Amino acid sequence: MRTIVAMPGDGIGKVVLPEGLRVLHAVGFDANYVHADIGWEFWCKEGNPFPQRTIDLLSEHKIGLFGAITSKPKDKAEAELAPELKGKGHVYASPIVGMRQKFDLDISVRPCQSLPGNPLNFIRRHGDGFEEPKVDAVIFRQNTECLYVGVEWTNPPAEVRAALETHKAMKMFKSVPSEELAISCRIMSRNACRRICEAAFAYAHKFGYKSVTVCEKSNVIRETSGLMRNEAKVVSKSYPGIALWETNIDAQMMWLTKNPEDYGVIVSSNMFGDIVSDGFAGLVGGLGFAASANVGRDVAVFEPTHGSAPKYEKLQPSIVNPIAMILTVCMMLDHLGETDKAARIKGAVAAVVKEGKVRTYDMLRLTGGPGVFAHGAASTAQMTDAIIANL
Ligand code: NAI
Ligand code: MG
């Protein structure tokens, strides 16, 4: 039997992950689930939000299901550390970024598909009425490189500054003292760009999408965005049936509401992929609906896009929407080749959304809090129950 590493994390991660497991059980997916520690609690208690024992479990079992974690700014990280750990040189680093780098989870997949009947779907004015375009975009985001690598300085050391000044464009900073300079490097490798483009095209081919859009800014950021664009061109030659479109991230965001239905698979670097995937997610229901996969050669971790929403953690019964987590579970099943079970769950989610009787507070555009039930909102568990009843 397969073993899944279950990492609820913090806040509502602890609420939604068990809902995902309930659905997995109901659909008849047999697995062992081993709990693994991750998140703020372990930063505070151990000075490490991503303990070695969790790394070991992921190395062994290869498949992780993750809820969400809490991250806080530098001053709070130091302040909340257990007294005996203070001043011992512990530095907080995001366990998600750490996990992606440690296991080279370089391919992030973020499907953004509108479900008919979702009151949060984007609508557009059309003549005197409104139309609701069917959005079906799948964003492939390079997950490990680009601006997120962390090669950055405030007050760069002299040798860094000297190296950068070998570039003539640095002239404009000549009179700026180093203490007043902040530098973040955008670093991308051909291999990683090639892999994300190959993953995007292979997916488009497998699921019949007619286009892959490479979304960058290669007219200005000529080297790094240019590299991604070139790799997309190279890979596209092996897929003559799929059109390669190119957009710039800024224009793409402007066009987001103009013709989102025209886009299929989108491929992008880490920073721009983060932006464009949140943009598309907003058209199909936002954080309550956004699922994602982080896939490497060896290990894959599946997570809803939302964070730990700490203000809702303790609310009983819980109000948050479990659909993002439940769609995340479907991505895991698809990855494991359990496509029938994934399709059954997706069908059940679609049926509940279409029927419109059971809606969490976000779907009713209510302000979150215990009062939402009086306005007809379903609880987290009621939403999951309705989905299970439709399996
Ligand atoms: P968030 O995603 O936790 O919450 C933002 C707001 O979105 C919430 O207040 C809530 O109104 C709504 N929301 C989120 N998930 C929802 C759901 N399932 N159903 C209904 N509504 C939902 O982002 P925020 O508030 O910026 O960050 C809170 C903490 O989460 C921070 O510590 C942040 O660092 C962390 N975070 C973690 C992420 C992760 O684990 N992947 C991603 C984003 C933020
Ligand atoms: Mg994001």
Short mmCIF file of all heavy atoms in Angstrom, two decimals, residues 110 141 148 274-275 277-278 305, ligand 2:
data_model
loop_
_atom_site.label_atom_id
_atom_site.label_comp_id
_atom_site.label_asym_id
_atom_site.label_seq_id
_atom_site.Cartn_x
_atom_site.Cartn_y
_atom_site.Cartn_z
N ARG A 110 -0.73 24.65 -11.63
CA ARG A 110 -1.85 25.33 -10.98
C ARG A 110 -3.03 25.45 -11.94
O ARG A 110 -3.11 26.37 -12.74
CB ARG A 110 -1.42 26.72 -10.51
CG ARG A 110 -0.28 26.63 -9.50
CD ARG A 110 0.11 27.96 -8.94
NE ARG A 110 0.93 27.77 -7.77
CZ ARG A 110 1.11 28.67 -6.82
NH1 ARG A 110 0.54 29.84 -6.90
NH2 ARG A 110 1.85 28.39 -5.77
N ARG A 141 4.40 26.78 -13.55
CA ARG A 141 5.30 27.79 -12.97
C ARG A 141 6.61 27.13 -12.59
O ARG A 141 6.62 26.16 -11.83
CB ARG A 141 4.61 28.37 -11.73
CG ARG A 141 5.51 29.17 -10.84
CD ARG A 141 4.78 29.51 -9.54
NE ARG A 141 5.69 30.17 -8.61
CZ ARG A 141 5.44 30.32 -7.32
NH1 ARG A 141 4.30 29.90 -6.80
NH2 ARG A 141 6.31 30.91 -6.55
N TYR A 148 13.34 33.90 -6.58
CA TYR A 148 13.08 33.23 -5.31
C TYR A 148 14.28 32.44 -4.79
O TYR A 148 14.22 31.83 -3.73
CB TYR A 148 11.88 32.28 -5.45
CG TYR A 148 10.56 32.99 -5.64
CD1 TYR A 148 10.40 33.89 -6.68
CD2 TYR A 148 9.49 32.76 -4.80
CE1 TYR A 148 9.20 34.55 -6.88
CE2 TYR A 148 8.28 33.41 -4.99
CZ TYR A 148 8.14 34.30 -6.03
OH TYR A 148 6.95 34.94 -6.22
N ASP A 274 3.91 32.97 -10.39
CA ASP A 274 3.19 33.24 -9.14
C ASP A 274 2.10 34.27 -9.40
O ASP A 274 0.94 34.12 -8.98
CB ASP A 274 4.21 33.76 -8.11
CG ASP A 274 3.76 33.58 -6.67
OD1 ASP A 274 2.69 32.99 -6.45
OD2 ASP A 274 4.49 34.05 -5.78
N ILE A 275 2.47 35.31 -10.12
CA ILE A 275 1.53 36.40 -10.39
C ILE A 275 0.40 35.93 -11.31
O ILE A 275 -0.79 36.11 -11.01
CB ILE A 275 2.27 37.59 -11.04
CG1 ILE A 275 3.27 38.19 -10.03
CG2 ILE A 275 1.29 38.64 -11.54
CD1 ILE A 275 4.23 39.21 -10.62
N SER A 277 -0.67 32.98 -12.00
CA SER A 277 -1.54 31.92 -11.47
C SER A 277 -2.52 32.50 -10.44
O SER A 277 -3.68 32.08 -10.39
CB SER A 277 -0.73 30.76 -10.89
OG SER A 277 0.07 31.18 -9.82
N ASP A 278 -2.08 33.45 -9.63
CA ASP A 278 -3.03 34.09 -8.71
C ASP A 278 -4.08 34.87 -9.51
O ASP A 278 -5.25 34.89 -9.14
CB ASP A 278 -2.30 35.04 -7.75
CG ASP A 278 -1.80 34.32 -6.50
OD1 ASP A 278 -1.80 33.08 -6.47
OD2 ASP A 278 -1.40 35.02 -5.54
N THR A 305 -3.41 26.46 -2.73
CA THR A 305 -2.59 27.67 -2.87
C THR A 305 -2.72 28.59 -1.64
O THR A 305 -1.82 29.35 -1.35
CB THR A 305 -3.03 28.43 -4.14
OG1 THR A 305 -2.96 27.51 -5.23
CG2 THR A 305 -2.16 29.60 -4.44
MG MG B 2 1.32 33.11 -4.41
#
